[in-house]
Amino acid sequence: MSCEEKPRSSSLTESLPSDDRDLSSSIVLRHVKNFKRLKPLNFSLLRWNLLWLFVILAFFTLPIWLRFASQSCQATYYTMLSILIWLDLVWFLALIFSIYALIKLKYGMLTDHKQTYPADVPLVHLLILTIYNDEMGVICRTVDSLAEQTESKRIVLVIAWESRTPDREERTETIRQRYSDKFFSIIFPVHPFGLENEIASKAANANWGVRAAIGYIMEDEERKKNIQHVMVTTCDADTLFHPKYFEALSADYLRCVKTNDPSVHRTIWQAPLFYNWNLDQNSFPVRITGLVRSLMTMGLLIPYNVNPMSCFSFSLTLAVRGGYWHPQIFMDDVGYLLTVMIGTQRRIRIRLLPVPVRSGPTSGHSWLNDVKEWYIQVRRWGIGTADNFHYFVVKIPNLPILASCIFAIGYFLYYGVILCSASLFNVSSGFFPLLCPNFELFWLPKPFQPYHLHLLIAVIIPQLLYGALFILDAIWCRWTLNVKEDIFILRNILHWILTPFTLIALSLVQLWSYIVLAIQGKKACIHKLAAKATLAQIESIA
């Protein structure tokens, strides 16, 4: 399939055989070329992200309105306390699961995975690297980490350009000259801008790029014979892979195939993401947000099968069944999960890949600019979260009931409550003593008062849990990432103290993004990249 052919609209999947073994090369090739017109997802005045916004507003203001709705201080207090205890438990379990993940990473990094499968196994990896306006220095750092892979000769590197990318021809030539002998091959599909019913996004770019890559594979008769043994990995332009990433992925995938794991083609492999790429040079909002996201990926997203994040892998069979990416989706990782759930009519398993991946945090050339870029990124995350909720509700009739219910619960609890509303709920719960000034608990020993217990659960315990996060950061920098960060102990203490305020600011920005999306609709889904000014700089390694 030519990358410069006449632009057409991308599509979801056609009818496919129920047995994965019946997905012949001819079916895959026909499927990848099958483009059809899509109706816009946001065509009505009633957008389901309005419901998302309403529920979140109702949740974090619950300690205030419940007092008047129930006319009972006791009912309000116990409800509020139960939610606060649950939020503390979530953080505690996230820390426990993260410790477990770090232990798995240590073993995964020390294991020679190539010894577990034959050297001549016919396995190919498609690496979809979507690029628009990213800095060339950052792109080269990412491709360097791919060139250092122990299985780099199995990688078909797909540099998926968007047609608006500046200096695209010069960049293509630079990459070709520098890396032509490092991989199985490199291809450079160009995604046309402005296709009907598409939005400018990583999802639309990846959808075009992976289809072009399949067309490339089909050009060779030998590769066509092993079409069922193709793995796809997608990542951002600012991703540093561990040298054993594709080795570990190959071993785990082939192990699942050998044991006839029924979920092998219903699995997304997710490596834990760390944002310790010159993170010590960033402002405290950027650093704290990066640490929290690493914790949540290891401690919640992976163990609870919520959704993949940023950089993940899956079989070509799963991609074919899901119809690749929906080109109207703003947030590609959650959107991909939903499309493959529709295609397979089953719950998708998120499986831990036991090697680390580093992703670049936002960064500016000054402290204020750093905070500005953080705001742009957080707002984009928020808009994508609510937009995907709309996509999910629209597609509920096409989803299996059990899988959609489990996804809805996990998605709302993670994005709606833990990431957005939890900190604001803590703040609103502080109004309870003003609403019920004479409230007492008979079972509390004197001189303790209800607000003392509230202070312990809403402030002191969370602050201790935040402290554990900074301890884990020191551990994974030293023992997992082999990164030496210049963080003086007093600066670490200051960041620890500022963590709750950062989480409140993070919640407020996300809440504002939901309001913007509610007012503007799909017009708010603009893929504005946050700057990453420090990523191309040389970092210190322990």
Side-chain angles (χ1 to χ4, degrees):
M1 179 177 64
S2 173
C3 300
E4 301 293 344
E5 65 183 353
K6 185 178 178 180
R8 294 172 292 178
S9 295
S10 310
S11 71
L12 294 179
T13 184
E14 66 179 17
S15 179
L16 295 170
S18 58
D19 193 331
D20 293 332
R21 291 171 295 184
D22 293 336
L23 288 176
S24 63
S25 59
S26 60
I27 292 176
V28 173
L29 182 60
R30 184 172 68 251
H31 176 264
V32 82
K33 291 183 175 181
N34 181 28
F35 288 72
K36 60 184 178 183
R37 190 182 304 274
L38 291 173
K39 294 181 179 179
L41 288 176
N42 295 65
F43 59 90
S44 67
L45 293 177
L46 177 60
R47 300 186 302 274
W48 289 105
N49 54 277
L50 300 177
L51 175 62
W52 176 269
L53 175 61
F54 173 78
V55 174
I56 287 176
L57 289 172
F59 174 79
F60 78 77
T61 58
L62 182 144
I64 299 174
W65 61 259
L66 186 60
R67 165 67 182 86
F68 302 101
S70 67
Q71 294 295 309
S72 169
C73 288
Q74 187 172 15
T76 303
Y77 183 80
Y78 280 119
T79 301
M80 178 184 72
L81 211 62
S82 299
I83 294 175
L84 290 172
I85 291 173
W86 175 77
L87 291 173
D88 289 346
L89 180 62
V90 167
W91 263 88
F92 176 75
L93 291 176
L95 289 166
I96 296 300
F97 284 128
S98 295
I99 293 172
Y100 171 76
L102 290 174
I103 294 173
K104 293 281 288 184
L105 289 182
K106 193 64 178 177
Y107 281 104
M109 293 162 61
L110 295 175
T111 302
D112 185 358
H113 302 279
K114 295 177 71 173
Q115 296 299 318
T116 65
Y117 58 89
D120 59 348
V121 64
L123 181 62
V124 175
H125 291 280
L126 299 182
L127 189 285
I128 313 299
L129 183 58
T130 56
I131 301 174
Y132 167 41
N133 200 23
D134 305 272
E135 292 186 16
M136 197 60 186
V138 176
I139 296 170
C140 287
R141 292 288 301 277
T142 297
V143 181
D144 284 343
S145 74
L146 293 169
E148 293 169 359
Q149 293 294 308
T150 57
E151 290 282 32
S152 62
K153 290 299 183 178
R154 293 187 185 273
I155 298 175
V156 175
L157 179 58
V158 184
I159 305 294
W161 298 115
E162 185 175 303
S163 60
R164 296 180 298 165
T165 302
D167 305 320
R168 192 180 69 244
E169 291 78 9
E170 293 82 352
R171 292 181 177 210
T172 296
E173 190 59 31
T174 298
I175 293 174
R176 182 179 284 114
Q177 291 182 1
R178 183 169 175 174
Y179 301 105
S180 60
D181 61 338
K182 303 295 184 182
F183 305 101
F184 182 88
S185 60
I186 308 177
I187 63 174
F188 301 89
V190 179
H191 175 224
F193 175 69
L195 296 185
E196 185 179 9
N197 291 332
E198 283 194 3
I199 65 171
S201 65
K202 178 184 173 183
N205 197 354
N207 179 62
W208 187 274
V210 74
R211 289 173 182 270
I214 300 304
Y216 163 78
I217 287 181
M218 293 299 185
E219 293 174 357
D220 184 89
E221 290 298 325
E222 195 62 33
R223 291 195 298 263
K224 286 172 63 175
K225 297 177 183 178
N226 302 300
I227 195 65
Q228 290 183 329
H229 292 298
V230 176
M231 295 293 288
V232 182
T233 299
T234 177
C235 69
D236 294 329
D238 54 334
T239 305
L240 298 181
F241 290 86
H242 186 274
K244 291 186 177 181
Y245 181 95
F246 290 94
E247 173 185 323
L249 177 61
S250 300
D252 202 43
Y253 167 74
L254 293 171
R255 186 182 303 114
C256 291
V257 171
K258 185 177 181 180
T259 58
N260 294 318
D261 186 340
S263 298
V264 63
H265 298 302
R266 312 290 182 268
T267 297
I268 293 176
W269 280 264
Q270 177 72 66
L273 296 177
F274 300 91
Y275 296 86
N276 301 82
W277 182 347
N278 294 336
L279 192 58
D280 54 338
Q281 301 178 26
N282 291 112
S283 60
F284 72 85
V286 175
R287 181 173 182 239
I288 293 169
T289 301
L291 298 185
V292 170
R293 284 174 63 85
S294 294
L295 177 77
M296 293 305 175
T297 303
M298 288 187 290
L300 294 179
L301 290 183
I302 298 175
Y304 289 104
N305 273 11
V306 180
N307 62 258
M309 179 69 73
S310 182
C311 174
F312 51 94
S313 303
F314 46 89
S315 69
L316 175 61
T317 299
L318 180 60
V320 171
R321 291 204 174 278
Y324 310 100
W325 278 268
H326 197 300
Q328 296 173 27
I329 289 300
F330 184 57
M331 200 169 168
D332 69 291
D333 35 30
V334 179
Y336 181 77
L337 176 69
L338 290 172
T339 59
V340 295
M341 280 175 59
I342 294 171
T344 62
Q345 287 294 296
R346 294 183 186 179
R347 183 85 170 116
I348 302 301
R349 176 178 63 178
I350 310 296
R351 188 173 175 89
L352 173 70
L353 189 65
V355 288
V357 167
R358 281 195 290 163
S359 186
T362 59
S363 57
H365 294 287
S366 65
W367 192 91
L368 288 177
N369 192 248
D370 205 52
V371 175
K372 176 186 175 183
E373 300 302 331
W374 169 84
Y375 167 81
I376 292 172
Q377 182 80 306
V378 173
R379 174 175 158 167
R380 184 165 62 87
W381 287 336
I383 290 175
T385 297
D387 185 56
N388 267 323
F389 177 76
H390 173 84
Y391 175 50
F392 165 69
V393 178
V394 168
K395 293 297 182 181
I396 278 182
N398 304 106
L399 288 166
I401 296 176
L402 181 60
S404 60
C405 289
I406 295 174
F407 174 82
I409 293 171
Y411 190 76
F412 175 74
L413 290 179
Y414 179 72
Y415 289 101
V417 175
I418 297 168
L419 284 192
C420 179
S421 307
S423 297
L424 299 180
F425 185 91
N426 277 14
V427 172
S428 65
S429 68
F431 289 92
F432 179 81
L434 301 177
L435 300 174
C436 298
N438 300 317
F439 179 70
E440 294 184 356
L441 293 174
F442 68 90
W443 50 268
L444 273 179
K446 301 297 181 182
F448 290 102
Q449 298 295 325
Y451 70 85
H452 289 138
L453 184 58
H454 171 258
L455 187 68
L456 172 67
I457 296 174
V459 178
I460 296 176
I461 291 179
Q463 196 65 34
L464 293 175
L465 295 172
Y466 301 152
L469 171 60
F470 284 88
I471 294 173
L472 278 184
D473 173 52
I475 292 174
W476 72 51
C477 281
R478 182 178 179 85
W479 302 107
T480 304
L481 305 178
N482 196 31
V483 170
K484 182 179 180 180
E485 293 191 335
D486 185 17
I487 302 289
F488 186 55
I489 186 170
L490 292 181
R491 186 178 174 211
N492 246 342
I493 293 174
L494 177 62
H495 287 188
W496 170 56
I497 294 172
L498 292 172
T499 297
F501 302 100
T502 301
L503 294 179
I504 292 171
L506 182 73
S507 298
L508 289 173
V509 174
Q510 290 189 88
L511 181 62
W512 172 244
S513 70
Y514 300 155
I515 295 173
V516 170
L517 183 63
I519 296 172
Q520 297 184 0
K522 204 67 175 179
K523 293 180 180 179
C525 298
I526 301 174
H527 193 68
K528 183 178 181 181
L529 293 175
K532 307 201 174 185
T534 65
L535 296 191
Q537 299 175 9
I538 301 298
E539 57 188 345
S540 56
I541 305 296

